[in-house]
Amino acid sequence: MATLAVHQSPVGGFCFENCKRNALLEAEANKVGSSLPAARKTGTTICGIVFKDGVILGADTRATEGMIVADKNCSKIHYISPNIYCCGAGTAADTEMTTQIISSNLELHALSTGRLPRVATANRMLKQMLFRYQGYIGAALVLGGVDCNGPHLYSIYPHGSTDKLPYVTMGSGSLAAMAVFEDRYKPDMEEEQAKRLVRDAIAAGIFNDLGSGSNIDLCVITKGKLDYIRPHDEVNKKGVRTGDYKYKRGTTGVLTKATLNLQVVEETVLTMDTS
Amino acid sequence: MAAATVMPHFGQQMSSQIELVPDWTSQEVSTGTTIMAVEYDGGVVIGADSRTTTGAYIANRVTDKLTPIHDRIFCCRSGSAADTQAIADVVTYQLGFHSIELDEPPLVETAANLFRASCYRYREELTAGILVAGWDRRLGGQVYCVPIGGMLVRQPVSVGGSGSSYIYGFMDANYKPHMNKDQCLELTATAVALAMERDGSSGGVVRLASISESGVERRVILGNQLPKSSAH
Protein backbone atom coordinates (compact mmCIF):
# COMPACT_ATOMS: atom_id res chain seq x y z
CA MET A 1 0.00 0.00 0.00
CA ALA A 2 1.12 3.54 -0.65
CA THR A 3 1.27 4.95 2.88
CA LEU A 4 3.22 3.66 5.86
CA ALA A 5 0.68 2.09 8.22
CA VAL A 6 0.89 3.34 11.79
CA HIS A 7 -0.71 0.90 14.19
CA GLN A 8 -4.06 2.30 15.29
CA SER A 9 -6.58 0.82 17.65
CA PRO A 10 -9.51 -0.55 15.63
CA VAL A 11 -12.35 1.95 15.30
CA GLY A 12 -15.30 -0.39 14.93
CA GLY A 13 -16.19 -2.30 11.79
CA PHE A 14 -15.30 -5.91 11.15
CA CYS A 15 -11.82 -7.03 12.20
CA PHE A 16 -10.10 -9.16 9.60
CA GLU A 17 -7.02 -10.05 11.71
CA ASN A 18 -7.99 -13.72 11.94
CA CYS A 19 -8.32 -13.95 8.17
CA LYS A 20 -4.71 -12.89 7.78
CA ARG A 21 -3.68 -15.37 10.49
CA ASN A 22 -5.57 -18.15 8.67
CA ALA A 23 -3.82 -17.36 5.42
CA LEU A 24 -0.43 -17.50 7.15
CA LEU A 25 -1.35 -20.84 8.75
CA GLU A 26 -2.42 -22.24 5.40
CA ALA A 27 0.83 -21.13 3.80
CA GLU A 28 2.83 -22.74 6.58
CA ALA A 29 0.84 -25.97 6.36
CA ASN A 30 1.37 -26.14 2.62
CA LYS A 31 5.12 -25.66 3.12
CA VAL A 32 5.35 -28.92 5.10
CA GLY A 33 3.13 -30.69 2.60
CA SER A 34 -0.11 -30.96 4.55
CA SER A 35 -3.22 -28.94 3.86
CA LEU A 36 -5.98 -27.46 5.95
CA PRO A 37 -9.38 -29.19 5.82
CA ALA A 38 -11.24 -27.92 2.81
CA ALA A 39 -14.51 -26.11 3.33
CA ARG A 40 -17.44 -27.80 1.71
CA LYS A 41 -18.15 -25.89 -1.50
CA THR A 42 -21.04 -26.23 -3.84
CA GLY A 43 -19.00 -26.63 -7.05
CA THR A 44 -22.21 -25.78 -8.76
CA THR A 45 -24.08 -24.65 -11.75
CA ILE A 46 -26.87 -22.22 -10.93
CA CYS A 47 -28.81 -20.01 -13.31
CA GLY A 48 -31.91 -17.91 -13.70
CA ILE A 49 -33.96 -16.37 -16.48
CA VAL A 50 -36.79 -13.89 -16.79
CA PHE A 51 -39.58 -15.18 -18.99
CA LYS A 52 -42.98 -13.82 -19.97
CA ASP A 53 -44.81 -14.34 -16.68
CA GLY A 54 -41.98 -14.43 -14.13
CA VAL A 55 -38.60 -15.93 -13.35
CA ILE A 56 -37.22 -19.46 -13.39
CA LEU A 57 -34.28 -20.46 -11.19
CA GLY A 58 -32.31 -23.65 -11.80
CA ALA A 59 -29.57 -25.47 -9.92
CA ASP A 60 -27.68 -28.77 -9.87
CA THR A 61 -27.51 -30.78 -6.63
CA ARG A 62 -23.87 -31.73 -6.03
CA ALA A 63 -21.91 -30.49 -2.99
CA THR A 64 -18.14 -31.16 -2.99
CA GLU A 65 -15.46 -31.29 -0.30
CA GLY A 66 -12.27 -30.95 -2.30
CA MET A 67 -12.42 -33.78 -4.84
CA ILE A 68 -15.10 -35.80 -3.05
CA VAL A 69 -18.84 -35.47 -3.44
CA ALA A 70 -20.09 -34.67 0.04
CA ASP A 71 -23.79 -34.54 -0.80
CA LYS A 72 -25.31 -36.07 -3.92
CA ASN A 73 -28.63 -34.32 -3.53
CA CYS A 74 -28.30 -31.02 -1.74
CA SER A 75 -30.78 -28.22 -2.21
CA LYS A 76 -29.25 -25.05 -3.62
CA ILE A 77 -32.40 -23.04 -4.20
CA HIS A 78 -33.06 -21.26 -0.92
CA TYR A 79 -36.24 -19.62 0.33
CA ILE A 80 -36.09 -15.88 0.90
CA SER A 81 -39.78 -14.99 0.95
CA PRO A 82 -42.94 -16.48 -0.57
CA ASN A 83 -42.28 -14.61 -3.82
CA ILE A 84 -38.46 -14.55 -3.80
CA TYR A 85 -35.98 -17.44 -4.02
CA CYS A 86 -32.19 -17.45 -4.18
CA CYS A 87 -29.72 -19.96 -5.67
CA GLY A 88 -26.34 -20.15 -3.94
CA ALA A 89 -22.87 -21.07 -5.23
CA GLY A 90 -19.58 -20.98 -3.36
CA THR A 91 -19.05 -22.07 0.24
CA ALA A 92 -22.16 -24.07 1.20
CA ALA A 93 -22.31 -22.79 4.80
CA ASP A 94 -21.99 -19.18 3.65
CA THR A 95 -24.81 -19.39 1.09
CA GLU A 96 -27.07 -21.24 3.54
CA MET A 97 -26.60 -18.84 6.45
CA THR A 98 -26.56 -15.65 4.37
CA THR A 99 -29.86 -16.51 2.70
CA GLN A 100 -31.40 -17.49 6.03
CA ILE A 101 -30.32 -14.24 7.69
CA ILE A 102 -31.68 -12.10 4.87
CA SER A 103 -34.87 -14.18 4.72
CA SER A 104 -35.44 -13.58 8.42
CA ASN A 105 -34.72 -9.85 8.18
CA LEU A 106 -36.92 -9.54 5.12
CA GLU A 107 -39.84 -11.17 6.91
CA LEU A 108 -39.52 -8.66 9.75
CA HIS A 109 -39.26 -5.86 7.21
CA ALA A 110 -42.40 -7.09 5.41
CA LEU A 111 -44.31 -7.18 8.70
CA SER A 112 -43.16 -3.64 9.36
CA THR A 113 -44.17 -2.30 5.92
CA GLY A 114 -47.28 -4.46 5.62
CA ARG A 115 -46.40 -5.27 2.02
CA LEU A 116 -45.06 -8.19 0.03
CA PRO A 117 -41.25 -7.80 -0.05
CA ARG A 118 -39.55 -6.60 -3.23
CA VAL A 119 -36.66 -8.33 -4.94
CA ALA A 120 -34.70 -5.05 -4.96
CA THR A 121 -34.91 -4.96 -1.16
CA ALA A 122 -33.49 -8.46 -0.84
CA ASN A 123 -30.77 -7.48 -3.31
CA ARG A 124 -29.81 -4.40 -1.29
CA MET A 125 -29.70 -6.34 1.97
CA LEU A 126 -27.56 -9.09 0.46
CA LYS A 127 -25.11 -6.76 -1.30
CA GLN A 128 -24.64 -4.54 1.75
CA MET A 129 -23.94 -7.54 3.99
CA LEU A 130 -21.49 -9.14 1.55
CA PHE A 131 -19.68 -5.83 1.00
CA ARG A 132 -19.37 -5.40 4.76
CA TYR A 133 -17.45 -8.69 4.90
CA GLN A 134 -15.23 -7.68 1.98
CA GLY A 135 -15.55 -10.98 0.09
CA TYR A 136 -14.67 -13.24 3.03
CA ILE A 137 -18.20 -14.65 2.93
CA GLY A 138 -17.90 -16.83 -0.16
CA ALA A 139 -21.45 -16.59 -1.40
CA ALA A 140 -22.23 -16.09 -5.09
CA LEU A 141 -25.99 -15.84 -5.49
CA VAL A 142 -28.66 -15.76 -8.17
CA LEU A 143 -31.64 -13.93 -6.70
CA GLY A 144 -34.99 -14.01 -8.47
CA GLY A 145 -38.60 -13.24 -7.70
CA VAL A 146 -41.81 -11.51 -8.69
CA ASP A 147 -43.10 -8.47 -6.85
CA CYS A 148 -45.46 -5.55 -7.44
CA ASN A 149 -43.11 -4.18 -10.13
CA GLY A 150 -42.89 -7.42 -12.09
CA PRO A 151 -40.25 -10.17 -12.37
CA HIS A 152 -36.65 -9.36 -11.39
CA LEU A 153 -33.38 -11.29 -11.54
CA TYR A 154 -30.08 -10.34 -9.93
CA SER A 155 -26.64 -11.94 -9.74
CA ILE A 156 -24.72 -11.15 -6.55
CA TYR A 157 -20.96 -11.68 -6.19
CA PRO A 158 -19.06 -12.42 -2.95
CA HIS A 159 -17.52 -8.95 -2.81
CA GLY A 160 -20.90 -7.29 -2.93
CA SER A 161 -21.36 -6.22 -6.55
CA THR A 162 -24.67 -7.01 -8.26
CA ASP A 163 -25.95 -7.08 -11.81
CA LYS A 164 -29.59 -6.87 -12.85
CA LEU A 165 -29.99 -8.91 -16.02
CA PRO A 166 -32.54 -10.98 -17.97
CA TYR A 167 -30.43 -14.14 -17.67
CA VAL A 168 -27.57 -15.03 -15.34
CA THR A 169 -25.41 -18.02 -14.45
CA MET A 170 -23.03 -18.57 -11.51
CA GLY A 171 -20.70 -21.22 -10.14
CA SER A 172 -17.98 -23.36 -11.66
CA GLY A 173 -20.34 -24.58 -14.39
CA SER A 174 -21.50 -21.07 -15.26
CA LEU A 175 -19.56 -20.91 -18.52
CA ALA A 176 -21.24 -24.06 -19.83
CA ALA A 177 -24.68 -22.82 -18.78
CA MET A 178 -24.07 -19.33 -20.19
CA ALA A 179 -23.14 -20.84 -23.54
CA VAL A 180 -26.59 -22.44 -23.70
CA PHE A 181 -28.30 -19.20 -22.66
CA GLU A 182 -26.41 -17.04 -25.14
CA ASP A 183 -27.46 -19.40 -27.91
CA ARG A 184 -31.14 -19.86 -27.14
CA TYR A 185 -32.38 -17.08 -24.84
CA LYS A 186 -35.15 -14.87 -26.21
CA PRO A 187 -37.12 -12.23 -24.32
CA ASP A 188 -40.73 -13.09 -23.30
CA MET A 189 -40.52 -16.87 -23.67
CA GLU A 190 -43.40 -19.13 -22.71
CA GLU A 191 -43.13 -21.13 -19.48
CA GLU A 192 -42.52 -24.55 -21.04
CA GLN A 193 -39.88 -23.25 -23.42
CA ALA A 194 -38.20 -21.35 -20.60
CA LYS A 195 -38.18 -24.42 -18.32
CA ARG A 196 -36.60 -26.47 -21.08
CA LEU A 197 -33.91 -23.79 -21.59
CA VAL A 198 -33.02 -23.65 -17.88
CA ARG A 199 -32.99 -27.44 -17.70
CA ASP A 200 -30.62 -27.61 -20.66
CA ALA A 201 -28.35 -24.94 -19.23
CA ILE A 202 -27.99 -26.79 -15.92
CA ALA A 203 -27.52 -30.07 -17.78
CA ALA A 204 -24.67 -28.45 -19.73
CA GLY A 205 -23.05 -27.54 -16.42
CA ILE A 206 -23.65 -31.01 -14.94
CA PHE A 207 -22.16 -32.92 -17.86
CA ASN A 208 -19.27 -30.58 -18.68
CA ASP A 209 -18.13 -29.40 -15.23
CA LEU A 210 -16.63 -31.72 -12.64
CA GLY A 211 -17.84 -29.57 -9.77
CA SER A 212 -21.51 -29.96 -10.75
CA GLY A 213 -23.59 -33.10 -10.99
CA SER A 214 -26.56 -35.21 -9.92
CA ASN A 215 -30.06 -33.82 -10.49
CA ILE A 216 -31.61 -30.62 -11.79
CA ASP A 217 -33.80 -28.57 -9.45
CA LEU A 218 -36.10 -25.90 -10.82
CA CYS A 219 -38.08 -23.10 -9.20
CA VAL A 220 -40.73 -21.31 -11.28
CA ILE A 221 -41.95 -18.04 -9.74
CA THR A 222 -44.90 -16.21 -11.27
CA LYS A 223 -47.26 -13.57 -9.99
CA GLY A 224 -49.70 -15.83 -8.22
CA LYS A 225 -47.92 -19.17 -8.24
CA LEU A 226 -44.73 -20.77 -7.02
CA ASP A 227 -43.47 -24.14 -8.29
CA TYR A 228 -40.55 -25.59 -6.36
CA ILE A 229 -39.72 -28.62 -8.49
CA ARG A 230 -37.18 -30.78 -6.74
CA PRO A 231 -36.07 -32.76 -8.65
CA HIS A 232 -37.19 -31.54 -12.03
CA ASP A 233 -34.97 -33.96 -13.89
CA GLU A 234 -32.96 -36.86 -12.51
CA VAL A 235 -30.28 -36.99 -15.16
CA ASN A 236 -27.83 -38.99 -13.05
CA LYS A 237 -29.90 -41.82 -11.63
CA LYS A 238 -27.85 -44.52 -9.92
CA GLY A 239 -27.87 -47.68 -11.98
CA VAL A 240 -29.73 -50.81 -10.81
CA ARG A 241 -27.47 -53.75 -10.02
CA THR A 242 -28.15 -56.66 -12.36
CA GLY A 243 -26.35 -59.22 -10.17
CA ASP A 244 -26.58 -59.98 -6.46
CA TYR A 245 -23.79 -61.10 -4.13
CA LYS A 246 -26.21 -62.22 -1.42
CA TYR A 247 -26.66 -65.97 -1.25
CA LYS A 248 -30.14 -67.24 -0.54
CA ARG A 249 -30.83 -69.10 2.69
CA GLY A 250 -30.17 -72.81 2.24
CA THR A 251 -27.28 -72.36 -0.22
CA THR A 252 -24.85 -73.63 2.41
CA GLY A 253 -25.79 -76.98 3.89
CA VAL A 254 -25.81 -77.23 7.74
CA LEU A 255 -23.75 -80.20 9.06
CA THR A 256 -24.07 -79.80 12.86
CA LYS A 257 -25.82 -77.39 15.20
CA ALA A 258 -24.73 -76.59 18.81
CA THR A 259 -26.55 -74.08 21.09
CA LEU A 260 -24.84 -72.30 24.04
CA ASN A 261 -27.26 -70.87 26.63
CA LEU A 262 -25.63 -67.83 28.23
CA GLN A 263 -27.16 -66.58 31.49
CA VAL A 264 -26.99 -62.94 32.63
CA VAL A 265 -25.17 -62.91 36.03
CA GLU A 266 -24.78 -59.19 36.75
CA GLU A 267 -25.94 -55.99 35.07
CA THR A 268 -24.31 -52.64 35.78
CA VAL A 269 -24.84 -49.24 34.20
CA LEU A 270 -21.82 -46.95 33.64
CA THR A 271 -22.61 -43.34 32.85
CA MET A 272 -20.57 -41.70 30.07
CA ASP A 273 -18.14 -38.98 31.10
CA THR A 274 -19.48 -35.88 29.38
CA SER A 275 -17.43 -33.29 31.28
CA MET B 1 0.57 -10.30 15.64
CA ALA B 2 3.70 -8.18 15.30
CA ALA B 3 3.26 -5.22 13.02
CA ALA B 4 6.61 -5.90 11.41
CA THR B 5 5.65 -9.25 9.79
CA VAL B 6 4.87 -9.16 6.11
CA MET B 7 1.24 -10.04 5.45
CA PRO B 8 0.81 -12.47 2.56
CA HIS B 9 -1.68 -11.67 -0.16
CA PHE B 10 -4.71 -13.41 1.23
CA GLY B 11 -8.17 -14.17 0.00
CA GLN B 12 -7.71 -14.90 -3.68
CA GLN B 13 -5.26 -17.77 -3.26
CA MET B 14 -7.34 -19.93 -0.91
CA SER B 15 -9.26 -21.83 -3.54
CA SER B 16 -6.68 -21.85 -6.35
CA GLN B 17 -5.40 -25.25 -5.18
CA ILE B 18 -8.83 -26.80 -5.59
CA GLU B 19 -9.01 -27.27 -9.35
CA LEU B 20 -12.74 -27.94 -9.43
CA VAL B 21 -13.36 -24.23 -8.79
CA PRO B 22 -11.64 -22.25 -11.56
CA ASP B 23 -9.55 -19.17 -10.90
CA TRP B 24 -12.04 -16.61 -12.09
CA THR B 25 -14.63 -17.65 -9.49
CA SER B 26 -12.36 -16.30 -6.79
CA GLN B 27 -11.36 -13.14 -8.58
CA GLU B 28 -13.00 -9.93 -7.61
CA VAL B 29 -15.43 -8.45 -10.08
CA SER B 30 -13.80 -5.45 -11.77
CA THR B 31 -15.10 -2.97 -14.28
CA GLY B 32 -12.02 -3.02 -16.55
CA THR B 33 -13.51 -0.04 -18.29
CA THR B 34 -13.26 3.00 -20.39
CA ILE B 35 -15.15 6.03 -19.08
CA MET B 36 -15.21 9.60 -20.34
CA ALA B 37 -16.88 12.89 -19.47
CA VAL B 38 -16.88 16.18 -21.41
CA GLU B 39 -18.22 19.61 -20.47
CA TYR B 40 -20.00 21.80 -22.98
CA ASP B 41 -21.77 25.12 -22.64
CA GLY B 42 -25.07 24.12 -21.06
CA GLY B 43 -24.27 20.64 -19.80
CA VAL B 44 -22.08 17.56 -19.91
CA VAL B 45 -21.77 14.45 -22.04
CA ILE B 46 -20.69 11.18 -20.41
CA GLY B 47 -19.85 7.84 -21.99
CA ALA B 48 -18.70 4.38 -20.97
CA ASP B 49 -18.22 0.85 -22.30
CA SER B 50 -20.27 -2.02 -20.85
CA ARG B 51 -17.89 -4.80 -19.84
CA THR B 52 -17.50 -6.22 -16.30
CA THR B 53 -14.89 -8.93 -15.82
CA THR B 54 -14.00 -11.51 -13.16
CA GLY B 55 -10.47 -12.43 -14.15
CA ALA B 56 -10.71 -13.49 -17.79
CA TYR B 57 -14.48 -14.11 -17.83
CA ILE B 58 -16.93 -11.38 -18.76
CA ALA B 59 -19.47 -11.43 -15.94
CA ASN B 60 -21.74 -8.81 -17.51
CA ARG B 61 -21.44 -7.65 -21.13
CA VAL B 62 -24.18 -5.01 -20.90
CA THR B 63 -23.22 -3.22 -17.68
CA ASP B 64 -24.48 0.29 -17.08
CA LYS B 65 -21.53 2.17 -15.63
CA LEU B 66 -23.28 5.55 -15.84
CA THR B 67 -25.00 5.65 -12.48
CA PRO B 68 -27.51 8.37 -11.54
CA ILE B 69 -26.69 10.03 -8.24
CA HIS B 70 -29.37 12.69 -8.50
CA ASP B 71 -31.70 14.10 -11.15
CA ARG B 72 -28.98 16.03 -12.99
CA ILE B 73 -25.83 14.39 -11.55
CA PHE B 74 -24.28 11.14 -12.76
CA CYS B 75 -21.13 9.24 -11.95
CA CYS B 76 -19.01 7.03 -14.21
CA ARG B 77 -17.61 4.03 -12.33
CA SER B 78 -14.30 2.24 -12.88
CA GLY B 79 -12.30 -0.14 -10.69
CA SER B 80 -13.85 -2.72 -8.39
CA ALA B 81 -17.54 -3.22 -9.14
CA ALA B 82 -18.41 -3.91 -5.50
CA ASP B 83 -16.51 -0.87 -4.18
CA THR B 84 -17.95 1.56 -6.73
CA GLN B 85 -21.52 0.27 -6.36
CA ALA B 86 -21.28 0.57 -2.58
CA ILE B 87 -19.79 4.10 -2.72
CA ALA B 88 -22.38 5.24 -5.27
CA ASP B 89 -25.20 3.93 -3.07
CA VAL B 90 -23.81 5.76 -0.04
CA VAL B 91 -23.34 9.04 -1.94
CA THR B 92 -26.81 8.77 -3.50
CA TYR B 93 -28.27 8.53 -0.02
CA GLN B 94 -26.14 11.35 1.38
CA LEU B 95 -26.85 13.67 -1.54
CA GLY B 96 -30.57 12.92 -1.51
CA PHE B 97 -30.73 13.72 2.21
CA HIS B 98 -28.70 16.91 1.72
CA SER B 99 -30.90 18.02 -1.17
CA ILE B 100 -34.07 17.53 0.87
CA GLU B 101 -32.58 19.53 3.75
CA LEU B 102 -31.59 22.30 1.34
CA ASP B 103 -34.90 22.12 -0.53
CA GLU B 104 -32.89 22.73 -3.69
CA PRO B 105 -31.21 20.61 -6.35
CA PRO B 106 -27.66 19.84 -5.11
CA LEU B 107 -24.47 21.15 -6.67
CA VAL B 108 -22.25 18.88 -8.74
CA GLU B 109 -19.32 20.03 -6.62
CA THR B 110 -21.14 18.76 -3.52
CA ALA B 111 -21.61 15.33 -5.07
CA ALA B 112 -17.96 15.25 -6.11
CA ASN B 113 -16.85 16.15 -2.61
CA LEU B 114 -19.01 13.39 -1.11
CA PHE B 115 -17.30 10.91 -3.43
CA ARG B 116 -13.92 12.33 -2.55
CA ALA B 117 -14.65 12.09 1.17
CA SER B 118 -15.40 8.34 0.97
CA CYS B 119 -12.62 7.57 -1.53
CA TYR B 120 -9.96 9.42 0.46
CA ARG B 121 -10.93 8.19 3.92
CA TYR B 122 -10.94 4.55 2.87
CA ARG B 123 -8.23 4.90 0.23
CA GLU B 124 -6.30 1.83 1.50
CA GLU B 125 -9.32 -0.44 1.28
CA LEU B 126 -10.94 0.79 -1.93
CA THR B 127 -10.19 0.48 -5.63
CA ALA B 128 -12.44 3.07 -7.22
CA GLY B 129 -11.85 5.57 -10.03
CA ILE B 130 -14.89 7.79 -10.50
CA LEU B 131 -15.89 10.65 -12.80
CA VAL B 132 -18.66 12.86 -11.40
CA ALA B 133 -20.51 14.87 -14.03
CA GLY B 134 -23.71 16.88 -14.08
CA TRP B 135 -25.48 20.17 -14.41
CA ASP B 136 -26.47 22.67 -11.75
CA ARG B 137 -27.79 26.22 -11.80
CA ARG B 138 -24.71 27.85 -10.32
CA LEU B 139 -21.95 26.71 -12.69
CA GLY B 140 -23.76 24.81 -15.46
CA GLY B 141 -22.10 21.65 -16.78
CA GLN B 142 -19.17 20.38 -14.71
CA VAL B 143 -16.89 17.34 -14.74
CA TYR B 144 -14.96 16.33 -11.62
CA CYS B 145 -12.37 13.57 -11.54
CA VAL B 146 -11.98 11.43 -8.37
CA PRO B 147 -9.29 8.86 -9.22
CA ILE B 148 -7.86 6.06 -7.04
CA GLY B 149 -6.41 7.66 -3.90
CA GLY B 150 -9.14 10.22 -3.48
CA MET B 151 -7.95 13.33 -5.33
CA LEU B 152 -10.57 15.80 -6.53
CA VAL B 153 -10.02 18.04 -9.52
CA ARG B 154 -12.36 19.73 -11.97
CA GLN B 155 -11.50 19.28 -15.65
CA PRO B 156 -13.26 20.27 -18.88
CA VAL B 157 -12.73 16.77 -20.24
CA SER B 158 -11.63 13.63 -18.43
CA VAL B 159 -11.16 9.93 -19.19
CA GLY B 160 -10.74 7.03 -16.79
CA GLY B 161 -10.42 3.29 -16.47
CA SER B 162 -7.96 0.81 -17.97
CA GLY B 163 -8.90 1.77 -21.53
CA SER B 164 -8.24 5.45 -20.96
CA SER B 165 -4.50 4.99 -21.54
CA TYR B 166 -5.20 4.37 -25.22
CA ILE B 167 -7.17 7.53 -25.84
CA TYR B 168 -5.28 10.29 -24.03
CA GLY B 169 -3.59 11.22 -27.31
CA PHE B 170 -6.88 11.16 -29.22
CA MET B 171 -8.52 13.30 -26.55
CA ASP B 172 -5.69 15.86 -26.46
CA ALA B 173 -5.69 16.14 -30.25
CA ASN B 174 -9.44 16.30 -30.82
CA TYR B 175 -10.90 18.13 -27.81
CA LYS B 176 -11.40 21.82 -28.39
CA PRO B 177 -12.99 24.25 -25.93
CA HIS B 178 -16.52 25.51 -26.65
CA MET B 179 -17.77 22.48 -28.55
CA ASN B 180 -21.52 21.98 -28.76
CA LYS B 181 -23.49 18.97 -27.49
CA ASP B 182 -23.45 16.96 -30.72
CA GLN B 183 -19.73 17.41 -31.19
CA CYS B 184 -19.17 16.24 -27.63
CA LEU B 185 -21.36 13.18 -28.19
CA GLU B 186 -19.45 12.29 -31.33
CA LEU B 187 -16.09 12.81 -29.62
CA THR B 188 -17.09 10.64 -26.66
CA ALA B 189 -18.55 7.86 -28.78
CA THR B 190 -15.51 7.72 -31.02
CA ALA B 191 -13.06 7.83 -28.11
CA VAL B 192 -14.78 5.07 -26.15
CA ALA B 193 -15.08 2.93 -29.29
CA LEU B 194 -11.34 3.34 -30.01
CA ALA B 195 -10.47 2.36 -26.44
CA MET B 196 -12.78 -0.68 -26.61
CA GLU B 197 -10.98 -1.75 -29.74
CA ARG B 198 -7.58 -1.82 -28.03
CA ASP B 199 -8.29 -2.59 -24.38
CA GLY B 200 -9.17 -6.20 -23.56
CA SER B 201 -11.00 -5.20 -20.40
CA SER B 202 -13.32 -2.81 -22.27
CA GLY B 203 -16.00 -3.84 -24.74
CA GLY B 204 -19.67 -4.53 -25.32
CA VAL B 205 -21.77 -1.49 -26.18
CA VAL B 206 -21.16 2.24 -25.82
CA ARG B 207 -23.48 3.91 -23.35
CA LEU B 208 -23.87 7.67 -23.70
CA ALA B 209 -25.76 10.26 -21.70
CA SER B 210 -26.10 14.01 -22.00
CA ILE B 211 -27.13 16.05 -18.96
CA SER B 212 -28.40 19.61 -19.18
CA GLU B 213 -30.96 21.90 -17.62
CA SER B 214 -33.75 20.19 -19.55
CA GLY B 215 -32.86 16.73 -18.26
CA VAL B 216 -30.99 13.56 -19.14
CA GLU B 217 -30.94 11.90 -22.56
CA ARG B 218 -29.56 8.35 -22.67
CA ARG B 219 -28.41 6.43 -25.70
CA VAL B 220 -26.85 3.06 -26.47
CA ILE B 221 -24.61 2.38 -29.47
CA LEU B 222 -24.60 -1.35 -30.25
CA GLY B 223 -21.61 -3.28 -31.57
CA ASN B 224 -22.55 -3.08 -35.23
CA GLN B 225 -23.26 0.65 -35.03
CA LEU B 226 -19.90 1.65 -33.53
CA PRO B 227 -18.03 4.46 -35.31
CA LYS B 228 -15.75 2.84 -37.86
CA SER B 229 -12.07 3.65 -37.46
CA SER B 230 -9.84 3.97 -40.51
CA ALA B 231 -7.59 1.02 -39.64
CA HIS B 232 -9.27 -2.31 -40.48
Side-chain angles (χ1 to χ4, degrees):
Chain A
M1 284 294 142
T3 55
L4 214 60
V6 178
H7 181 71
Q8 289 157 341
S9 44
V11 270
F14 194 77
C15 173
F16 293 110
E17 287 304 312
N18 279 341
C19 298
K20 297 178 195 165
R21 175 208 70 182
N22 291 345
L24 266 178
L25 286 174
E26 191 182 3
E28 276 169 34
N30 288 337
K31 241 191 297 199
V32 290
S34 60
S35 58
L36 295 174
R40 183 190 291 197
K41 299 182 91 82
T42 54
T44 302
T45 308
I46 52 175
C47 68
I49 58 167
V50 176
F51 71 105
K52 194 167 92 170
D53 308 315
V55 303
I56 301 185
L57 304 174
D60 73 304
T61 59
R62 174 182 288 183
T64 52
E65 236 168 71
M67 280 285 166
I68 300 176
V69 175
D71 189 346
K72 285 182 276 196
N73 197 200
C74 76
S75 164
K76 300 187 191 182
I77 306 184
H78 307 285
Y79 168 87
I80 300 277
S81 80
N83 58 325
I84 305 172
Y85 274 72
C86 185
C87 309
T91 310
D94 288 346
T95 59
E96 189 69 47
M97 297 318 305
T98 303
T99 48
Q100 279 178 5
I101 289 171
I102 264 64
S103 168
S104 168
N105 288 343
L106 202 63
E107 186 172 346
L108 291 170
H109 186 262
L111 286 166
S112 166
T113 60
R115 294 174 167 84
L116 199 65
R118 302 187 190 190
V119 190
T121 315
N123 178 55
R124 263 299 159 106
M125 290 176 164
L126 284 163
K127 79 176 334 186
Q128 284 179 350
M129 178 182 169
L130 291 173
F131 184 76
R132 200 172 352 128
Y133 288 96
Q134 287 289 291
Y136 285 104
I137 294 186
L141 309 167
V142 167
L143 175 76
V146 179
D147 58 27
C148 56
N149 289 334
H152 304 280
L153 185 66
Y154 293 87
S155 65
I156 306 170
Y157 290 83
H159 284 265
S161 61
T162 65
D163 291 307
K164 186 174 195 303
L165 292 163
Y167 55 96
V168 292
T169 64
M170 291 282 236
S172 55
S174 66
L175 260 59
M178 185 51 93
V180 175
F181 275 166
E182 288 284 21
D183 186 32
R184 283 159 47 187
Y185 175 83
K186 291 183 180 30
D188 294 323
M189 280 190 291
E190 294 298 330
E191 181 171 330
E192 280 315 307
Q193 191 190 6
K195 276 162 80 167
R196 245 176 293 130
L197 179 60
V198 174
R199 182 244 163 245
D200 288 345
I202 300 292
I206 286 174
F207 292 118
N208 299 96
D209 173 44
L210 295 177
S212 313
S214 298
N215 313 321
I216 300 171
D217 290 350
L218 234 60
C219 185
V220 183
I221 312 172
T222 51
K223 191 154 172 62
K225 188 172 65 104
L226 177 96
D227 264 330
Y228 190 86
I229 313 169
R230 179 177 151 78
H232 173 256
D233 206 343
E234 283 182 332
V235 288
N236 282 299
K237 251 212 190 80
K238 194 167 182 171
V240 179
R241 276 180 218 270
T242 49
D244 193 6
Y245 282 114
K246 268 214 183 77
Y247 290 98
K248 281 188 260 315
R249 263 183 190 282
T251 309
T252 311
V254 179
L255 295 178
T256 51
K257 201 160 142 176
T259 322
L260 284 169
N261 283 318
L262 296 172
Q263 286 178 328
V264 179
V265 175
E266 195 194 333
E267 199 177 298
T268 52
V269 176
L270 284 171
T271 49
M272 190 168 67
D273 183 8
T274 52
S275 55
Chain B
M1 190 131 274
T5 53
V6 175
M7 292 301 174
H9 178 69
F10 48 89
Q12 263 74 357
Q13 272 158 19
M14 296 259 203
S15 57
S16 58
Q17 291 131 15
I18 304 162
E19 264 145 41
L20 281 181
V21 182
D23 214 20
W24 43 260
T25 54
S26 57
Q27 292 273 13
E28 196 181 326
V29 178
S30 128
T31 51
T33 303
T34 308
I35 50 177
M36 180 163 166
V38 189
E39 283 176 17
Y40 67 92
D41 185 26
V44 293
V45 164
I46 53 177
D49 74 306
S50 69
R51 182 172 288 184
T52 318
T53 51
T54 42
Y57 179 65
I58 299 173
N60 187 354
R61 59 182 170 87
V62 286
T63 326
D64 186 7
K65 302 181 191 179
L66 308 176
T67 308
I69 302 295
H70 206 265
D71 295 342
R72 302 272 190 287
I73 306 175
F74 270 63
C75 78
C76 309
R77 301 181 291 112
S78 74
S80 155
D83 290 351
T84 53
Q85 282 181 14
I87 298 170
D89 287 344
V90 163
V91 172
T92 306
Y93 160 75
Q94 291 173 331
L95 198 67
F97 191 89
H98 167 74
S99 171
I100 287 172
E101 278 188 322
L102 230 55
D103 199 22
E104 247 182 50
L107 300 175
V108 187
E109 193 175 349
T110 313
N113 271 289
L114 286 171
F115 271 107
R116 193 257 312 135
S118 294
C119 291
Y120 183 72
R121 173 179 278 238
Y122 298 106
R123 58 182 300 169
E124 301 300 320
E125 285 82 25
L126 294 172
T127 312
I130 295 173
L131 296 179
V132 186
W135 179 93
D136 63 42
R137 249 171 43 126
R138 188 186 289 184
L139 294 173
Q142 298 145 74
V143 169
Y144 294 88
C145 185
V146 184
I148 295 175
M151 174 185 85
L152 172 63
V153 71
R154 183 182 171 188
Q155 291 177 311
V157 59
S158 192
V159 294
S162 60
S164 66
S165 329
Y166 305 100
I167 51 174
Y168 276 107
F170 176 82
M171 189 188 85
D172 289 335
N174 291 74
Y175 172 75
K176 291 157 185 55
H178 312 297
M179 293 198 298
N180 66 24
K181 182 171 93 169
D182 291 317
Q183 289 170 321
C184 288
L185 281 165
E186 204 187 308
L187 177 73
T188 309
T190 313
V192 175
L194 284 169
M196 279 158 56
E197 191 85 9
R198 286 291 177 178
D199 180 28
S201 309
S202 304
V205 303
V206 176
R207 292 199 188 272
L208 292 170
S210 71
I211 311 166
S212 63
E213 181 173 7
S214 49
V216 178
E217 280 169 36
R218 300 204 58 159
R219 199 179 316 174
V220 181
I221 303 181
L222 301 178
N224 56 349
Q225 301 159 344
L226 286 172
K228 296 262 189 300
S229 45
S230 54
H232 53 268

